[in-house]
């Protein structure tokens, strides 16, 4: 289907196009029962077209809300921007209206220049734009304006190729670097002091525990729980425990080991806390932060303190300078290569699988029996 030229919608193209799209899609809703006639390829194509329509509609919504904000619509009635949006579009959720307001305000912020209009043009999604807008709004009062502008431009440029989760991680990393190092370390100390474990009554005579941890504590707990909380099929049958039940069992296993053999808790490669950080950042030559496999950000000072009691394993070499390419001398994947694969892939590489790296098995790209090598 070709796109009608803007001239086809007269002097009010946005309004006319919105009316036309509304009418066409409303007519489509009446024909939903005929989807059975589509081929598998056409079903997928239809979903793709509708997704592009949704993204285009959100981009236009941002432009409309930005215009409404510039006119002060709703001010006479004492409405907030969210109130005005939900009054104008009664089926719009409050959360969506709030996201539109955040992005619209960013588009009107002169400090962002014209780069925020990437949202209006549809270059990045509304959800990603909201992440960027909130980052800029929170950082602007305390960050160096030049560095903030550079970081924002970098994030906007990278946003189209990142998932929302990847963008959130990049924003967290940028926020950590924008904060003065002494302030970051002071915040880390306060977070460590705020660690807490609460116990309360649970359903059916059970007990409920609630744990509040700082990034360092969360990384340590995740590193200990993840290897023991992976699904464990029994005799070919799937593990029917919920993720929450597996984590509870893993925690009890860890406590049981520690109580039964104090000071002799088993140490395996899967119980290690893996932190990625450059040598320059670790030594303080440049600003930086450490990143765990669980996507927790640790300050440079925290990583240095942990490193005093830890084995340092370079990402290129393993313990005792083990080579990461052992060719055909070994069939099973050694810990050095497994660790490097964790750092490289951050999770399962099977398309669509979101299992954490620590739960994954390592396999040869070319099977061993076909002459494959045990290499990264």
């Amino acid at each position: 289907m070709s796109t009608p030229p803007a001239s086809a919608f007269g002097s009010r193209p946005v309004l006319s196009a919105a009316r036309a799209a509304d009418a066409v899609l409303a007519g489509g809703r009446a024909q939903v029962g005929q989807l059975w006639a589509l081929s598998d390829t056409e079903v997928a194509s239809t979903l793709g077209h509708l997704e592009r329509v949704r993204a285009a509609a959100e981009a236009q919504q941002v432009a409309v809300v930005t215009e409404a904000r510039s006119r002060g619509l709703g001010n006479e009635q004492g409405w907030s921007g969210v109130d005005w949006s939900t009054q104008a579009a009664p089926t719009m959720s409050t959360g969506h209206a709030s996201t539109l307001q955040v992005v619209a305000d960013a588009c009107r912020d002169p400090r962002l220049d014209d780069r925020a209009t990437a949202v209006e043009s549809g270059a990045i999604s509304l959800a990603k734009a909201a992440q960027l807008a909130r980052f800029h709004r929170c950082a602007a009062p305390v960050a160096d304006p030049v560095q903030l502008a550079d970081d924002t431009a970098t994030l906007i440029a990278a946003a189209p190729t990142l998932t929302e989760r990847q963008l959130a991680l990049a924003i967290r990393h940028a926020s950590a670097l924008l904060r003065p190092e002494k302030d970051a370390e002071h915040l880390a100390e306060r977070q460590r002091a705020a660690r807490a474990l609460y116990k309360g009554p649970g359903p059916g005579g059970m007990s409920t525990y609630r744990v509040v941890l700082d990034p360092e504590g969360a990384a340590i707990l995740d590193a200990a729980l993840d290897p023991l909380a992976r699904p464990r099929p029994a005799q070919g049958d799937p593990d029917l425990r919920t993720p929450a039940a597996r984590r509870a069992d893993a925690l009890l296993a860890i406590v049981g080991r520690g109580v039964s053999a104090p000071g002799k808790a088993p140490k395996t490669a899967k119980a290690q806390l893996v932190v990625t950080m450059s040598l320059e950042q670790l030594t303080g030559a440049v600003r930086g932060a450490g990143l765990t496999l669980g996507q927790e950000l640790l300050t440079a000072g925290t990583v240095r303190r942990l490193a005093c009691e830890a084995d340092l394993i370079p990402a290129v070499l393993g313990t005792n300078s083990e080579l990461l390419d052992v060719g055909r001398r070994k069939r099973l994947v050694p810990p050095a290569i497994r660790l490097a694969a964790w750092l490289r892939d951050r999770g399962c590489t099977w398309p669509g699988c979101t299992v954490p790296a620590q739960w994954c098995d390592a396999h040869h790209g070319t099977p061993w029996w076909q002459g494959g090598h045990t290499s990264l």
Side-chain angles (χ1 to χ4, degrees):
M1 180 183 295
S2 60
T3 302
S7 58
F9 296 120
S11 60
R12 291 174 171 77
V14 175
L15 175 59
S16 299
R19 285 174 173 169
D22 189 10
V24 170
L25 291 176
R29 285 196 293 270
Q31 308 299 326
V32 166
Q34 297 182 14
L35 285 174
W36 63 266
L38 300 180
S39 67
D40 293 351
T41 301
E42 289 174 330
V43 170
S45 178
T46 300
L47 184 61
H49 284 302
L50 290 174
E51 171 58 21
R52 285 188 285 276
V53 169
R54 183 199 61 78
E58 286 184 345
Q60 293 290 353
Q61 283 181 328
V62 171
V64 171
V65 172
T66 301
E67 177 67 20
R69 296 285 282 169
S70 66
R71 296 187 184 189
L73 298 184
N75 289 351
E76 292 184 0
Q77 293 88 348
W79 292 342
S80 66
V82 172
D83 292 337
W84 179 86
S85 296
T86 53
Q87 287 289 332
T91 60
M92 182 182 294
S93 69
T94 302
H96 184 65
S98 177
T99 299
L100 288 174
Q101 293 301 319
V102 170
V103 177
D105 289 343
C107 290
R108 297 173 62 235
D109 192 332
R111 291 173 297 184
L112 292 180
D113 301 320
D114 60 350
R115 286 171 296 199
T117 58
V119 184
E120 295 178 338
S121 66
I124 58 178
S125 69
L126 180 66
K128 292 180 183 179
Q131 288 179 292
L132 293 166
R134 292 188 176 101
F135 158 72
H136 190 275
R137 183 179 63 186
C138 294
V142 295
D144 176 75
V146 175
Q147 184 179 357
L148 177 59
D150 291 343
D151 289 353
T152 303
T154 300
L155 290 169
I156 290 176
T161 61
L162 301 177
T163 65
E164 291 180 20
R165 183 177 181 181
Q166 291 171 331
L167 180 60
L169 179 61
I171 288 175
R172 286 173 55 198
H173 195 272
S175 300
L177 296 184
L178 284 172
R179 187 184 298 118
E181 187 167 4
K182 63 178 182 179
D183 291 347
E185 298 301 338
H186 179 61
L187 175 61
E189 292 177 0
R190 292 174 57 189
Q191 288 176 329
R192 281 194 292 271
R195 293 173 179 173
L197 173 63
Y198 302 94
K199 178 181 178 181
M206 302 179 72
S207 296
T208 298
Y209 286 84
R210 185 167 66 91
V211 183
V212 180
L213 294 175
D214 59 307
E216 176 190 351
I220 293 172
L221 185 60
D222 289 344
L225 288 179
D226 283 349
L228 299 176
R230 64 184 300 179
R232 299 188 181 280
Q235 298 179 347
D237 296 327
D239 190 339
L240 299 180
R241 296 176 299 165
T242 65
R246 296 200 305 267
R247 287 192 294 270
D249 290 343
L251 179 60
L252 291 175
I254 292 171
V255 174
R257 290 179 182 181
V259 172
S260 62
K264 297 181 180 180
K267 296 182 179 179
T268 65
K270 288 195 173 185
Q272 293 174 343
L273 173 58
V274 181
V275 181
T276 304
M277 192 177 202
S278 73
L279 179 61
E280 291 80 5
Q281 293 171 338
L282 180 63
T283 58
V286 297
R287 288 290 309 280
L291 179 65
T292 72
L293 288 178
Q295 311 301 301
E296 297 287 352
L297 280 174
L298 306 181
T299 67
T302 298
V303 177
R304 293 185 196 112
R305 180 169 51 80
L306 292 173
C308 291
E309 302 176 354
D311 295 328
L312 298 182
I313 304 175
V316 178
L317 299 177
T319 307
N320 299 323
S321 297
E322 293 172 16
L323 291 175
L324 292 184
D325 187 344
V326 296
R328 292 188 54 80
R329 289 177 295 167
K330 295 181 180 180
R331 178 177 63 86
L332 300 180
V333 179
I337 291 183
R338 186 183 298 275
L339 176 59
W342 290 0
L343 293 171
R344 181 191 64 187
D345 300 328
R346 301 286 174 181
C348 181
T349 57
W350 188 264
C353 184
T354 59
V355 167
Q358 302 94 309
W359 292 8
C360 296
D361 293 321
H363 291 285
H364 295 79
T366 300
W368 174 266
W369 59 269
Q370 288 185 346
H373 288 244
T374 306
S375 64
L376 183 59

